[in-house]
Amino acid sequence: FINYYHPDIMGVQEPVPQQMKDLQAGLPQYKFVGVGRDDGKDLGEYSAIFYDSNKFKVLKSGTFWLSETPNKPSKGWDAAYNRVCSYALFKDQKSKKQFWAFNVHFDHVGMEARVNSSKLILEKIKEFNTSNLPVILTGDFNLTEETEPIKILSQNLDDSFYTTKTPHYGPKSTWQAFDINMVPTERLDYIFVKGFKVLSNRTINDRRENLLYYSDHFPVTAEIQISK
């Protein structure tokens, strides 16, 4: 599936170390940035960013925790689990243009944690992005768009679902719990950008052999172009 669509940059949520190894083995053209959320190394789920290493070079990268102590493995506020945001400063090998990418998986329980996670991510973007470069923020936010944490992000970044030049294609909702008989009703996965033109935005609801979804969430894709 990934090799067919071949995204330049891909944020993943929830893979455990063995799944990361399988993805890396099956995607030889890709490299990734990110660490396990439980120890900052290879324990627990990742929120990693895969990238086509033939097209991009990583200039800086890291991971911070969505908590009061973002520089070390930790669980924040009223969250159920440790949550992380991995990021990288990329350089396009051809155009030499640079941009930041952030990828995240929000907690599914703590509303205080999710509000503060949105605020922390915006603070970190401001802290890192001193040159005002274009920014991408991808993730499973475990929230619908009318909630406060998503509104906080939407007030500061562009939601590619709405800013796309070509109207969105595919279902609006992104979560189906692996149930092929379910009619999805919630959009929980987003691609936010700043400093990019959004040419297209799509929710992909393919099924493997028409029987099984690849994930309990539909992949969301966007074709974007640096504005300046």
Side-chain angles (χ1 to χ4, degrees):
F1 176 87
I2 295 167
N3 278 319
Y4 176 79
Y5 285 100
H6 201 97
D8 290 338
I9 304 287
M10 177 180 68
V12 295
Q13 298 85 35
E14 290 193 35
V16 294
Q18 185 57 53
Q19 290 171 310
M20 289 296 295
K21 291 182 177 67
D22 289 344
L23 283 168
Q24 187 66 89
L27 302 168
Q29 192 170 331
Y30 288 82
K31 295 181 181 178
F32 73 86
V33 299
V35 295
R37 70 187 187 185
D38 290 340
D39 66 349
K41 296 177 182 177
D42 194 32
L43 184 64
E45 296 176 3
Y46 283 66
S47 291
I49 303 171
F50 282 84
Y51 62 97
D52 186 333
S53 59
N54 291 334
K55 293 184 178 182
F56 302 102
K57 180 179 179 181
V58 172
L59 303 180
K60 297 179 183 177
S61 66
T63 296
F64 59 87
W65 278 258
L66 303 181
S67 76
E68 300 94 325
T69 54
N71 295 324
K72 63 181 182 180
S74 50
K75 181 170 68 175
W77 303 286
D78 58 348
Y81 298 106
N82 289 5
R83 300 289 182 175
V84 292
C85 180
S86 292
Y87 62 89
L89 173 60
F90 288 101
K91 181 179 180 178
D92 187 307
Q93 302 272 40
K94 187 175 181 180
S95 71
K96 308 305 179 185
K97 292 182 178 181
Q98 299 178 20
F99 62 92
W100 288 92
F102 295 76
N103 183 57
V104 71
H105 183 199
F106 271 24
D107 198 64
H108 66 301
V109 174
M111 184 52 73
E112 180 187 1
R114 289 181 280 186
V115 169
N116 286 319
S117 293
S118 289
K119 293 177 180 178
L120 177 62
I121 287 170
L122 293 174
E123 289 172 7
K124 289 294 186 181
I125 290 174
K126 185 177 180 180
E127 176 187 340
F128 300 150
N129 191 21
T130 54
S131 299
N132 198 30
L133 295 169
V135 174
I136 306 166
L137 170 62
T138 56
D140 169 7
F141 292 84
N142 275 315
L143 291 161
T144 50
E145 62 190 65
E146 75 280 357
T147 58
E148 184 181 358
I150 299 301
K151 287 181 178 178
I152 290 170
L153 294 172
S154 297
Q155 288 164 4
N156 293 273
L157 305 169
D158 297 327
D159 181 347
S160 64
F161 182 91
Y162 290 109
T163 58
T164 176
K165 182 178 179 181
T166 304
H168 170 81
Y169 183 80
K172 180 175 182 179
S173 304
T174 63
W175 178 72
Q176 29 63 11
F178 284 115
D179 186 351
I180 63 173
N181 298 310
M182 173 185 178
V183 178
T185 59
E186 296 180 318
R187 183 166 77 107
L188 306 180
D189 305 85
Y190 302 77
I191 299 174
F192 292 102
V193 297
K194 190 172 185 178
F196 284 96
K197 294 177 184 177
V198 182
L199 305 180
S200 68
N201 178 282
R202 180 183 175 187
T203 304
I204 302 173
N205 59 342
D206 296 357
R207 296 208 305 260
R208 185 176 180 180
E209 284 83 47
N210 210 35
L211 297 173
L212 181 69
Y213 288 127
Y214 298 96
S215 167
D216 60 337
H217 291 242
F218 293 141
V220 177
T221 66
E223 183 183 5
I224 58 179
Q225 186 177 71
I226 292 177
S227 298
K228 54 184 179 180

